[in-house]
Amino acid sequence: MRKRPAVPGRAAAFAGLAALALAALDAAPAQAVRQAVGPEAVGFKQSFVVEIRNPGPTALENYAVVLDVPAIRAAVAWDFNTYMYALFEESGGAYNLVVSQADDFDKDRYHDEIVFVRTLPPSSTTRLLCYYTPERSIPKLMTTEKAFARGAWEANGPEAGWESNLVAYKLVRGRIEFYGKLQAGLILRKLPAADTKPQDWGMDVLDAGESAGLGGLVLWDGAARVPLYGPTAPQATLSVLATGPIRTLIRAVYPAVRTAAGEGALTVSYSAFADNVFSRQDVLVTSKASGRFVAGPGIQKLPGETVVMDKDKGFLAVWGQGADKAGEIGLAAVFPPGAFAGTDESAVDRGIKLDVRAGAKLTYWVAGAWDRGVTSPGVPAAKNWPRKVESLAARLLVPVSVEFKAR
């Protein structure tokens, strides 16, 4: 039986680690903070190794690394305590703090995942040390906030928003729109505002209208579309599960929908990561049926658009006119080529069909760019945006692996 972790208020004795964290206040999450003494000096007792392998020939800049806490306990540290842990990179006898975030999705006081953002060199294995103490806790380590999420704009409203410091997304009745930013920073706390008009931080640059917007979910019942957006679609129950500072996560749970493959209930997790422009979508179908489900994102058609798609490289890139007064914008979807099952089109958007097996998570990504903001691809934008999306797909689809080892 697991022992409930100590309440985080008991760590006054570990001021050394807290001071170390305070020194990182203005550092990016992936940057290191130098410590002259070993982690044992500030109260850590046990440790294990985290190895992150990038098998590809390209550096993965600001890569979002997610560690599964139950997997850690099963592999190397049954007593791993997420209320008193820290990740370090050791070099020449000095320990560099890797700022991370632990998330408890079901609010049972047991963290489910740990996440951090780090650049992985090409064809490399990054070796980190995770130190912990089983029976104690420390105050929550503070760092520069580069991600945030929030629920409805108004009481019982149908929307939620999530953002990195570079871009913000919102889900409204299943449709996804996004906000362009003039400079890096967080803006969702400032809303509601007249976000369809230019603000000092930027504006809402995509009006989804009747379309899926930037990645609204579609199911297919044979050849027929079953859109999970709009006022007549099954409405999801939305929950904010993580609010930063490194990752945000919104979860949408849809009621069961009947298709030719059987009846399936969908859960979709929407997340953004510090210093990244994409929204990651994790789709899980729960069903007693054994048939193949087909689901995927819809991407809005834009006036004056340029469209580039490469199913073998796993991306769709669209550049065209955004919402009124917004200027030009880019929309993109990145998906695993092995899951690709075709496309279809409506009058207002394109659907990307992806195979989904019941009980197995499917991950794809969407991203938005604004020609006036920090995500601008530069001139000529219509040519540069597909190149940027192709590069993004090449990085996101690298099969990075994580392994936990005893010391």
Side-chain angles (χ1 to χ4, degrees):
M1 180 176 178
R2 290 191 299 178
K3 186 173 181 178
R4 188 170 294 280
V7 177
R10 295 162 118 195
F14 300 98
L17 184 60
L20 179 63
L22 289 173
L25 269 172
D26 295 322
Q31 289 178 328
V33 178
R34 185 162 295 276
Q35 181 178 331
V37 296
E40 295 88 352
V42 290
F44 290 114
K45 295 181 178 179
Q46 296 173 226
S47 63
F48 59 89
V49 176
V50 179
E51 288 190 352
I52 307 144
R53 183 170 178 266
N54 171 17
T58 303
L60 304 181
E61 185 176 358
N62 295 323
Y63 190 85
V65 180
V66 179
L67 308 182
D68 183 87
V69 172
I72 292 172
R73 294 193 176 116
V76 292
W78 66 270
D79 57 351
F80 178 51
N81 178 14
T82 54
Y83 286 91
M84 187 172 179
Y85 85 94
L87 290 159
F88 298 93
E89 183 174 32
E90 189 272 333
S91 177
Y95 291 82
N96 302 307
L97 178 67
V98 177
V99 181
S100 63
Q101 172 183 326
D103 289 325
D104 172 13
F105 297 145
D106 53 12
K107 309 308 176 187
D108 63 353
R109 297 181 64 210
Y110 294 107
H111 293 112
D112 301 289
E113 293 179 349
I114 292 170
V115 62
F116 55 93
V117 173
R118 185 177 182 85
T119 294
L120 306 178
S123 304
S124 68
T125 298
T126 297
R127 185 176 187 270
L128 303 179
L129 301 178
C130 185
Y131 278 81
Y132 70 99
T133 296
E135 299 298 332
R136 297 186 178 181
S137 59
I138 58 174
K140 185 177 180 180
L141 303 186
M142 301 299 294
T143 185
T144 301
E145 190 177 34
K146 291 190 174 182
F148 179 68
R150 58 172 291 174
W153 273 230
E154 299 178 358
N156 302 315
E159 67 277 315
W162 63 104
E163 66 178 321
S164 74
N165 52 317
L166 301 180
V167 65
Y169 298 91
K170 68 175 177 180
L171 180 73
V172 183
R173 292 188 175 87
R175 295 185 171 99
I176 300 176
E177 298 179 353
F178 77 101
Y179 298 98
K181 298 182 180 183
L182 295 171
Q183 58 273 325
L186 302 179
I187 56 94
L188 286 180
R189 283 193 180 95
K190 301 177 182 179
L191 301 177
D195 53 24
T196 58
K197 298 179 181 179
Q199 307 290 313
D200 57 355
W201 49 262
M203 64 181 295
D204 185 347
V205 298
L206 177 66
D207 179 3
E210 298 301 312
S211 77
L214 180 52
L217 188 63
V218 183
L219 271 175
W220 279 269
D221 182 5
R225 270 190 176 211
V226 184
L228 296 183
Y229 52 84
T232 62
Q235 292 301 297
T237 300
L238 302 179
S239 303
V240 179
L241 301 186
T243 58
I246 298 169
R247 171 180 64 178
T248 64
L249 192 145
I250 302 286
R251 182 158 291 168
V253 180
Y254 289 88
V257 178
R258 184 170 297 280
T259 72
E263 188 174 79
L266 284 91
T267 300
V268 188
S269 298
Y270 305 88
S271 50
F273 299 84
D275 297 314
N276 281 283
V277 301
F278 60 81
S279 170
R280 170 173 158 169
Q281 263 84 296
D282 296 305
V283 178
L284 179 66
V285 176
T286 304
S287 176
K288 295 181 180 179
S290 58
R292 183 191 72 163
F293 290 84
V294 179
I299 303 297
Q300 184 174 349
K301 294 180 177 179
L302 300 178
E305 66 181 10
T306 298
V307 181
V308 176
M309 181 168 183
D310 191 319
K311 62 183 180 62
D312 296 321
K313 294 182 178 179
F315 75 89
L316 167 68
V318 179
W319 188 267
Q321 290 294 320
D324 183 41
K325 300 180 182 179
E328 295 184 351
I329 64 170
L331 310 178
V334 173
F335 51 87
F340 182 74
T343 61
D344 81 350
E345 294 192 16
S346 72
V348 293
D349 56 30
R350 298 173 178 83
I352 300 174
K353 297 181 177 182
L354 302 173
D355 286 334
V356 187
R357 295 184 179 276
K361 181 177 69 176
L362 170 70
T363 298
Y364 59 86
W365 303 261
V366 298
W370 184 32
D371 67 343
R372 304 176 190 173
V374 293
T375 55
S376 172
V379 179
K383 291 184 177 180
N384 288 342
W385 178 235
R387 294 168 183 164
K388 282 187 171 290
V389 175
E390 180 178 357
S391 176
L392 177 65
R395 297 196 304 273
L396 290 175
L397 295 171
V398 172
V400 171
S401 61
V402 177
E403 188 176 357
F404 310 113
K405 297 181 177 180
R407 293 188 71 191

mmCIF file of all heavy atoms in Angstrom, residues 166 178-185 187 190-191 193-205 325-326 370 372-374:
data_model
loop_
_atom_site.group_PDB
_atom_site.id
_atom_site.type_symbol
_atom_site.label_atom_id
_atom_site.label_comp_id
_atom_site.label_asym_id
_atom_site.label_seq_id
_atom_site.Cartn_x
_atom_site.Cartn_y
_atom_site.Cartn_z
ATOM 1 N N LEU A 166 4.531 31.897 -26.242
ATOM 2 C CA LEU A 166 4.597 32.310 -27.648
ATOM 3 C C LEU A 166 3.249 32.369 -28.347
ATOM 4 O O LEU A 166 3.086 33.123 -29.316
ATOM 5 C CB LEU A 166 5.526 31.365 -28.422
ATOM 6 C CG LEU A 166 6.973 31.267 -27.918
ATOM 7 C CD1 LEU A 166 7.760 30.296 -28.770
ATOM 8 C CD2 LEU A 166 7.630 32.638 -27.889
ATOM 9 N N PHE A 178 -7.012 30.715 -32.134
ATOM 10 C CA PHE A 178 -5.780 31.052 -31.427
ATOM 11 C C PHE A 178 -5.525 32.545 -31.441
ATOM 12 O O PHE A 178 -6.071 33.295 -32.259
ATOM 13 C CB PHE A 178 -4.582 30.271 -31.988
ATOM 14 C CG PHE A 178 -4.006 30.765 -33.285
ATOM 15 C CD1 PHE A 178 -2.841 31.534 -33.310
ATOM 16 C CD2 PHE A 178 -4.589 30.441 -34.494
ATOM 17 C CE1 PHE A 178 -2.293 31.977 -34.494
ATOM 18 C CE2 PHE A 178 -4.047 30.867 -35.697
ATOM 19 C CZ PHE A 178 -2.897 31.640 -35.690
ATOM 20 N N TYR A 179 -4.702 32.969 -30.477
ATOM 21 C CA TYR A 179 -4.339 34.361 -30.292
ATOM 22 C C TYR A 179 -2.901 34.574 -30.755
ATOM 23 O O TYR A 179 -1.990 33.835 -30.357
ATOM 24 C CB TYR A 179 -4.427 34.754 -28.817
ATOM 25 C CG TYR A 179 -5.801 34.634 -28.209
ATOM 26 C CD1 TYR A 179 -6.154 33.520 -27.461
ATOM 27 C CD2 TYR A 179 -6.752 35.638 -28.370
ATOM 28 C CE1 TYR A 179 -7.410 33.407 -26.883
ATOM 29 C CE2 TYR A 179 -8.013 35.534 -27.795
ATOM 30 C CZ TYR A 179 -8.333 34.411 -27.057
ATOM 31 O OH TYR A 179 -9.579 34.305 -26.486
ATOM 32 N N GLY A 180 -2.693 35.598 -31.582
ATOM 33 C CA GLY A 180 -1.344 36.008 -31.932
ATOM 34 C C GLY A 180 -0.790 36.980 -30.906
ATOM 35 O O GLY A 180 -1.525 37.809 -30.373
ATOM 36 N N LYS A 181 0.500 36.864 -30.625
ATOM 37 C CA LYS A 181 1.152 37.718 -29.625
ATOM 38 C C LYS A 181 2.221 38.576 -30.293
ATOM 39 O O LYS A 181 3.008 38.074 -31.113
ATOM 40 C CB LYS A 181 1.781 36.862 -28.527
ATOM 41 C CG LYS A 181 0.769 36.022 -27.751
ATOM 42 C CD LYS A 181 1.437 35.217 -26.647
ATOM 43 C CE LYS A 181 0.422 34.396 -25.877
ATOM 44 N NZ LYS A 181 1.024 33.649 -24.753
ATOM 45 N N LEU A 182 2.254 39.835 -29.898
ATOM 46 C CA LEU A 182 3.259 40.751 -30.437
ATOM 47 C C LEU A 182 4.621 40.538 -29.809
ATOM 48 O O LEU A 182 5.651 40.835 -30.413
ATOM 49 C CB LEU A 182 2.809 42.196 -30.221
ATOM 50 C CG LEU A 182 1.547 42.601 -30.994
ATOM 51 C CD1 LEU A 182 1.060 43.968 -30.545
ATOM 52 C CD2 LEU A 182 1.810 42.596 -32.496
ATOM 53 N N GLN A 183 4.654 40.040 -28.575
ATOM 54 C CA GLN A 183 5.895 39.695 -27.910
ATOM 55 C C GLN A 183 5.633 38.516 -26.981
ATOM 56 O O GLN A 183 4.483 38.228 -26.651
ATOM 57 C CB GLN A 183 6.471 40.877 -27.114
ATOM 58 C CG GLN A 183 5.549 41.437 -26.059
ATOM 59 C CD GLN A 183 4.608 42.486 -26.597
ATOM 60 O OE1 GLN A 183 4.966 43.256 -27.475
ATOM 61 N NE2 GLN A 183 3.393 42.521 -26.073
ATOM 62 N N ALA A 184 6.693 37.841 -26.591
ATOM 63 C CA ALA A 184 6.547 36.669 -25.729
ATOM 64 C C ALA A 184 5.975 37.076 -24.379
ATOM 65 O O ALA A 184 6.353 38.100 -23.807
ATOM 66 C CB ALA A 184 7.896 35.975 -25.549
ATOM 67 N N GLY A 185 5.061 36.277 -23.869
ATOM 68 C CA GLY A 185 4.436 36.539 -22.579
ATOM 69 C C GLY A 185 3.113 35.817 -22.486
ATOM 70 O O GLY A 185 2.639 35.199 -23.444
ATOM 71 N N ILE A 187 -1.048 35.905 -21.653
ATOM 72 C CA ILE A 187 -2.121 36.901 -21.809
ATOM 73 C C ILE A 187 -3.497 36.421 -21.355
ATOM 74 O O ILE A 187 -4.420 37.229 -21.221
ATOM 75 C CB ILE A 187 -2.204 37.382 -23.276
ATOM 76 C CG1 ILE A 187 -2.401 36.205 -24.246
ATOM 77 C CG2 ILE A 187 -0.954 38.152 -23.653
ATOM 78 C CD1 ILE A 187 -3.823 35.901 -24.611
ATOM 79 N N LYS A 190 -5.685 38.083 -18.693
ATOM 80 C CA LYS A 190 -6.253 39.403 -18.979
ATOM 81 C C LYS A 190 -7.647 39.330 -19.598
ATOM 82 O O LYS A 190 -8.340 40.327 -19.665
ATOM 83 C CB LYS A 190 -5.339 40.166 -19.942
ATOM 84 C CG LYS A 190 -3.929 40.365 -19.430
ATOM 85 C CD LYS A 190 -3.083 41.069 -20.484
ATOM 86 C CE LYS A 190 -1.653 41.229 -20.025
ATOM 87 N NZ LYS A 190 -0.816 41.902 -21.053
ATOM 88 N N LEU A 191 -8.020 38.165 -20.089
ATOM 89 C CA LEU A 191 -9.297 38.019 -20.754
ATOM 90 C C LEU A 191 -10.392 37.729 -19.725
ATOM 91 O O LEU A 191 -10.105 37.212 -18.648
ATOM 92 C CB LEU A 191 -9.212 36.892 -21.783
ATOM 93 C CG LEU A 191 -8.137 37.097 -22.861
ATOM 94 C CD1 LEU A 191 -8.095 35.902 -23.785
ATOM 95 C CD2 LEU A 191 -8.388 38.356 -23.660
ATOM 96 N N ALA A 193 -11.639 40.089 -22.898
ATOM 97 C CA ALA A 193 -11.380 41.416 -23.452
ATOM 98 C C ALA A 193 -11.954 41.418 -24.856
ATOM 99 O O ALA A 193 -12.430 40.402 -25.349
ATOM 100 C CB ALA A 193 -9.878 41.709 -23.477
ATOM 101 N N ALA A 194 -11.913 42.558 -25.490
ATOM 102 C CA ALA A 194 -12.365 42.629 -26.882
ATOM 103 C C ALA A 194 -11.283 42.012 -27.759
ATOM 104 O O ALA A 194 -10.560 42.681 -28.484
ATOM 105 C CB ALA A 194 -12.635 44.068 -27.276
ATOM 106 N N ASP A 195 -11.157 40.669 -27.651
ATOM 107 C CA ASP A 195 -10.008 40.013 -28.257
ATOM 108 C C ASP A 195 -10.073 39.956 -29.772
ATOM 109 O O ASP A 195 -9.109 39.555 -30.411
ATOM 110 C CB ASP A 195 -9.817 38.617 -27.661
ATOM 111 C CG ASP A 195 -11.085 37.777 -27.727
ATOM 112 O OD1 ASP A 195 -11.940 38.051 -28.589
ATOM 113 O OD2 ASP A 195 -11.222 36.843 -26.930
ATOM 114 N N THR A 196 -11.195 40.312 -30.366
ATOM 115 C CA THR A 196 -11.252 40.360 -31.827
ATOM 116 C C THR A 196 -10.679 41.665 -32.370
ATOM 117 O O THR A 196 -10.561 41.832 -33.581
ATOM 118 C CB THR A 196 -12.705 40.210 -32.318
ATOM 119 O OG1 THR A 196 -13.497 41.252 -31.745
ATOM 120 C CG2 THR A 196 -13.267 38.857 -31.917
ATOM 121 N N LYS A 197 -10.345 42.606 -31.459
ATOM 122 C CA LYS A 197 -9.732 43.865 -31.856
ATOM 123 C C LYS A 197 -8.287 43.878 -31.366
ATOM 124 O O LYS A 197 -7.958 43.250 -30.367
ATOM 125 C CB LYS A 197 -10.503 45.036 -31.264
ATOM 126 C CG LYS A 197 -11.948 45.128 -31.740
ATOM 127 C CD LYS A 197 -12.660 46.302 -31.094
ATOM 128 C CE LYS A 197 -14.109 46.370 -31.568
ATOM 129 N NZ LYS A 197 -14.837 47.508 -30.928
ATOM 130 N N PRO A 198 -7.401 44.595 -32.056
ATOM 131 C CA PRO A 198 -6.000 44.643 -31.605
ATOM 132 C C PRO A 198 -5.872 45.150 -30.171
ATOM 133 O O PRO A 198 -6.524 46.115 -29.773
ATOM 134 C CB PRO A 198 -5.365 45.612 -32.604
ATOM 135 C CG PRO A 198 -6.227 45.537 -33.823
ATOM 136 C CD PRO A 198 -7.619 45.334 -33.319
ATOM 137 N N GLN A 199 -5.037 44.457 -29.393
ATOM 138 C CA GLN A 199 -4.733 44.834 -28.013
ATOM 139 C C GLN A 199 -3.246 45.166 -27.928
ATOM 140 O O GLN A 199 -2.485 44.980 -28.889
ATOM 141 C CB GLN A 199 -5.070 43.679 -27.066
ATOM 142 C CG GLN A 199 -6.480 43.154 -27.203
ATOM 143 C CD GLN A 199 -7.526 44.127 -26.700
ATOM 144 O OE1 GLN A 199 -7.384 44.684 -25.609
ATOM 145 N NE2 GLN A 199 -8.569 44.357 -27.489
ATOM 146 N N ASP A 200 -2.798 45.606 -26.759
ATOM 147 C CA ASP A 200 -1.374 45.904 -26.628
ATOM 148 C C ASP A 200 -0.515 44.652 -26.721
ATOM 149 O O ASP A 200 0.669 44.718 -27.028
ATOM 150 C CB ASP A 200 -1.100 46.651 -25.314
ATOM 151 C CG ASP A 200 -1.574 45.889 -24.089
ATOM 152 O OD1 ASP A 200 -2.210 44.814 -24.243
ATOM 153 O OD2 ASP A 200 -1.298 46.360 -22.967
ATOM 154 N N TRP A 201 -1.122 43.480 -26.487
ATOM 155 C CA TRP A 201 -0.373 42.219 -26.550
ATOM 156 C C TRP A 201 -0.547 41.495 -27.883
ATOM 157 O O TRP A 201 0.185 40.568 -28.202
ATOM 158 C CB TRP A 201 -0.805 41.290 -25.417
ATOM 159 C CG TRP A 201 -2.310 41.128 -25.276
ATOM 160 C CD1 TRP A 201 -3.119 41.792 -24.406
ATOM 161 C CD2 TRP A 201 -3.160 40.255 -26.030
ATOM 162 N NE1 TRP A 201 -4.426 41.376 -24.571
ATOM 163 C CE2 TRP A 201 -4.485 40.439 -25.554
ATOM 164 C CE3 TRP A 201 -2.941 39.334 -27.057
ATOM 165 C CZ2 TRP A 201 -5.582 39.739 -26.070
ATOM 166 C CZ3 TRP A 201 -4.031 38.643 -27.577
ATOM 167 C CH2 TRP A 201 -5.335 38.849 -27.078
ATOM 168 N N GLY A 202 -1.596 41.846 -28.670
ATOM 169 C CA GLY A 202 -1.893 41.137 -29.905
ATOM 170 C C GLY A 202 -3.384 41.038 -30.098
ATOM 171 O O GLY A 202 -4.134 41.942 -29.717
ATOM 172 N N MET A 203 -3.881 39.900 -30.646
ATOM 173 C CA MET A 203 -5.320 39.771 -30.871
ATOM 174 C C MET A 203 -5.678 38.329 -31.218
ATOM 175 O O MET A 203 -4.812 37.492 -31.497
ATOM 176 C CB MET A 203 -5.773 40.705 -31.996
ATOM 177 C CG MET A 203 -5.185 40.376 -33.363
ATOM 178 S SD MET A 203 -5.728 41.529 -34.669
ATOM 179 C CE MET A 203 -7.481 41.186 -34.754
ATOM 180 N N ASP A 204 -6.983 38.071 -31.216
ATOM 181 C CA ASP A 204 -7.524 36.817 -31.717
ATOM 182 C C ASP A 204 -7.437 36.874 -33.240
ATOM 183 O O ASP A 204 -8.058 37.727 -33.869
ATOM 184 C CB ASP A 204 -8.975 36.668 -31.258
ATOM 185 C CG ASP A 204 -9.585 35.329 -31.644
ATOM 186 O OD1 ASP A 204 -9.005 34.617 -32.466
ATOM 187 O OD2 ASP A 204 -10.666 35.010 -31.113
ATOM 188 N N VAL A 205 -6.656 35.984 -33.836
ATOM 189 C CA VAL A 205 -6.374 36.107 -35.266
ATOM 190 C C VAL A 205 -7.121 35.103 -36.131
ATOM 191 O O VAL A 205 -6.999 35.143 -37.363
ATOM 192 C CB VAL A 205 -4.854 35.986 -35.533
ATOM 193 C CG1 VAL A 205 -4.105 37.116 -34.841
ATOM 194 C CG2 VAL A 205 -4.319 34.632 -35.097
ATOM 195 N N LYS A 325 -8.986 42.257 -39.774
ATOM 196 C CA LYS A 325 -7.934 43.142 -39.264
ATOM 197 C C LYS A 325 -6.713 42.395 -38.721
ATOM 198 O O LYS A 325 -5.778 43.019 -38.229
ATOM 199 C CB LYS A 325 -8.477 44.084 -38.179
ATOM 200 C CG LYS A 325 -9.596 44.993 -38.665
ATOM 201 C CD LYS A 325 -10.088 45.905 -37.548
ATOM 202 C CE LYS A 325 -11.235 46.785 -38.038
ATOM 203 N NZ LYS A 325 -11.754 47.660 -36.956
ATOM 204 N N ALA A 326 -6.716 41.084 -38.819
ATOM 205 C CA ALA A 326 -5.579 40.325 -38.282
ATOM 206 C C ALA A 326 -4.428 40.213 -39.265
ATOM 207 O O ALA A 326 -3.294 39.967 -38.869
ATOM 208 C CB ALA A 326 -6.035 38.925 -37.875
ATOM 209 N N TRP A 370 1.311 34.018 -36.887
ATOM 210 C CA TRP A 370 0.748 35.330 -37.240
ATOM 211 C C TRP A 370 1.853 36.172 -37.841
ATOM 212 O O TRP A 370 2.936 36.310 -37.253
ATOM 213 C CB TRP A 370 0.188 35.985 -35.980
ATOM 214 C CG TRP A 370 -0.500 37.295 -36.179
ATOM 215 C CD1 TRP A 370 -1.200 37.708 -37.263
ATOM 216 C CD2 TRP A 370 -0.577 38.358 -35.228
ATOM 217 N NE1 TRP A 370 -1.716 38.968 -37.065
ATOM 218 C CE2 TRP A 370 -1.348 39.390 -35.817
ATOM 219 C CE3 TRP A 370 -0.078 38.556 -33.936
ATOM 220 C CZ2 TRP A 370 -1.612 40.582 -35.168
ATOM 221 C CZ3 TRP A 370 -0.350 39.735 -33.288
ATOM 222 C CH2 TRP A 370 -1.116 40.739 -33.888
ATOM 223 N N ARG A 372 2.357 39.236 -37.996
ATOM 224 C CA ARG A 372 2.769 40.422 -37.249
ATOM 225 C C ARG A 372 3.374 40.104 -35.889
ATOM 226 O O ARG A 372 3.810 41.012 -35.180
ATOM 227 C CB ARG A 372 1.559 41.337 -37.031
ATOM 228 C CG ARG A 372 0.836 41.754 -38.298
ATOM 229 C CD ARG A 372 -0.401 42.574 -37.971
ATOM 230 N NE ARG A 372 -1.237 42.777 -39.139
ATOM 231 C CZ ARG A 372 -2.435 43.350 -39.102
ATOM 232 N NH1 ARG A 372 -2.933 43.779 -37.943
ATOM 233 N NH2 ARG A 372 -3.142 43.485 -40.209
ATOM 234 N N GLY A 373 3.371 38.859 -35.507
ATOM 235 C CA GLY A 373 3.734 38.510 -34.135
ATOM 236 C C GLY A 373 5.024 37.730 -33.997
ATOM 237 O O GLY A 373 5.796 37.587 -34.947
ATOM 238 N N VAL A 374 5.236 37.191 -32.790
ATOM 239 C CA VAL A 374 6.481 36.476 -32.493
ATOM 240 C C VAL A 374 6.578 35.153 -33.237
ATOM 241 O O VAL A 374 7.662 34.588 -33.344
ATOM 242 C CB VAL A 374 6.625 36.232 -30.977
ATOM 243 C CG1 VAL A 374 6.807 37.529 -30.239
ATOM 244 C CG2 VAL A 374 5.434 35.452 -30.425
#
